[in-house]
Amino acid sequence: DAGVIQSPRHEVTEMGQEVTLRCKPISGHNSLFWYRQTMMRGLELLIYFNNNVPIDDSGMPEDRFSAKMPNASFSTLKIQPSEPRDSAVYFCASSRQGYEQYFGPGTRLTVT
Amino acid sequence: GESVGLHLPTLSVQEGDNSIINCAYSNSASDYFIWYKQESGKGPQFIIDIRSNMDKRQGQRVTVLLNKTVKHLSLQIAATQPGDSAVYFCAVAKGAQKLVFGQGTRLTINP
């Protein structure tokens, strides 16, 4: 079975540019999560969706970050404009609601 | 809110020995607890989870123990192998959705 799919795996961009990260959850999972991992702050939940509806976005750092889930098989996390402090590994995870979350391989974002 | 801490940031054990990784949490209302393994360059990999109506759960070579009285969680790995070398995270939530992660313990297996 395919796991959570994320693209791109690596992204290098200049400050001020728009960045879009993509995620395809595991088929049949109805919850989707976006996390950010840094050395300083560890793994932090940014936002999560149940049945394509955003439930909690309290972890989104600021208005420059936005996330969408137009359908059950696709989600995006957008940063506009990007800043060097956004450099991190971004993970998408999915689950059946109330059960264990499965993580994707992550997108390593570098903003110069 | 919830906070999660680990007792040791690093742990080194001999191959074949048992490993115990500990975790403490703050919110007594938390009812879902989960352990992940993360290898370099990869996403966290689910190991085992436990809910607050249990105090022990076993998997293949792993056991999770939950002590709700002192808000303590541990992961035991039996007969550790070189492939067990990784960073191990505990995470805690109410309702299995909004996970709060600890900082992780790096486990090193010595030959």
Side-chain angles (χ1 to χ4, degrees), chain A residues 9 31 33 35 37 41 43 45 48 50 56 58 91 97-105, chain B residues 32 34 36 38 41-46 49 51 89 95-103:
Chain A
R9 293 295 312 279
S31 294
F33 308 81
Y35 290 87
Q37 187 175 37
R41 300 177 65 90
L43 262 167
L45 177 65
Y48 74 94
N50 286 342
D56 190 325
S58 60
F91 289 103
Q97 187 173 342
Y99 291 84
E100 68 273 14
Q101 297 176 27
Y102 291 89
F103 282 72
Chain B
Y32 181 77
I34 188 166
Y36 285 94
Q38 188 175 25
K42 297 184 178 180
Q45 176 187 355
F46 168 72
D49 60 357
R51 298 182 190 268
F89 293 94
Q97 294 256 281
K98 198 170 177 178
L99 292 177
V100 176
F101 280 79
Q103 288 298 307

Side-chain angles (χ1 to χ4, degrees), chain A:
Chain A
D1 287 342
V4 175
I5 298 172
Q6 292 186 247
S7 65
R9 293 295 312 279
H10 302 273
E11 177 80 38
V12 180
T13 191
E14 293 183 346
M15 181 174 61
Q17 296 298 306
E18 177 181 297
V19 175
T20 299
L21 311 182
R22 297 172 175 81
C23 175
K24 177 178 170 56
I26 294 171
S27 178
H29 285 187
N30 61 343
S31 294
L32 183 138
F33 308 81
W34 283 101
Y35 290 87
R36 179 171 68 175
Q37 187 175 37
T38 62
M39 288 296 294
M40 289 296 295
R41 300 177 65 90
L43 262 167
E44 301 174 286
L45 177 65
L46 300 177
I47 185 172
Y48 74 94
F49 298 80
N50 286 342
N51 299 311
N52 312 339
V53 176
I55 302 301
D56 190 325
D57 66 354
S58 60
M60 297 285 260
E62 48 198 273
D63 292 345
R64 297 185 298 106
F65 286 67
S66 62
K68 294 182 179 179
M69 191 165 186
N71 57 61
S73 59
F74 184 67
S75 177
T76 59
L77 178 67
K78 185 176 294 186
I79 308 172
Q80 165 64 18
S82 58
E83 297 181 4
R85 60 190 167 130
D86 302 330
S87 297
V89 181
Y90 291 81
F91 289 103
C92 176
S94 72
S95 74
R96 288 184 297 141
Q97 187 173 342
Y99 291 84
E100 68 273 14
Q101 297 176 27
Y102 291 89
F103 282 72
T107 295
R108 181 173 295 277
L109 174 64
T110 303
V111 183
T112 61

Side-chain angles (χ1 to χ4, degrees), chain B residues 37-105:
Chain B
K37 170 186 180 183
Q38 188 175 25
E39 297 173 289
S40 180
K42 297 184 178 180
Q45 176 187 355
F46 168 72
I47 301 173
I48 191 168
D49 60 357
I50 188 169
R51 298 182 190 268
S52 57
N53 60 349
M54 302 175 69
D55 53 20
K56 180 179 180 179
R57 192 173 185 206
Q58 290 183 288
Q60 186 176 12
R61 286 200 305 118
V62 295
T63 301
V64 56
L65 298 177
L66 175 62
N67 185 328
K68 294 181 289 294
T69 302
V70 296
K71 297 195 282 289
H72 183 270
L73 183 70
S74 69
L75 176 71
Q76 301 179 1
I77 305 173
T80 49
Q81 304 168 355
D84 295 329
S85 291
V87 178
Y88 289 80
F89 293 94
C90 69
V92 177
K94 182 167 175 58
Q97 294 256 281
K98 198 170 177 178
L99 292 177
V100 176
F101 280 79
Q103 288 298 307
T105 290

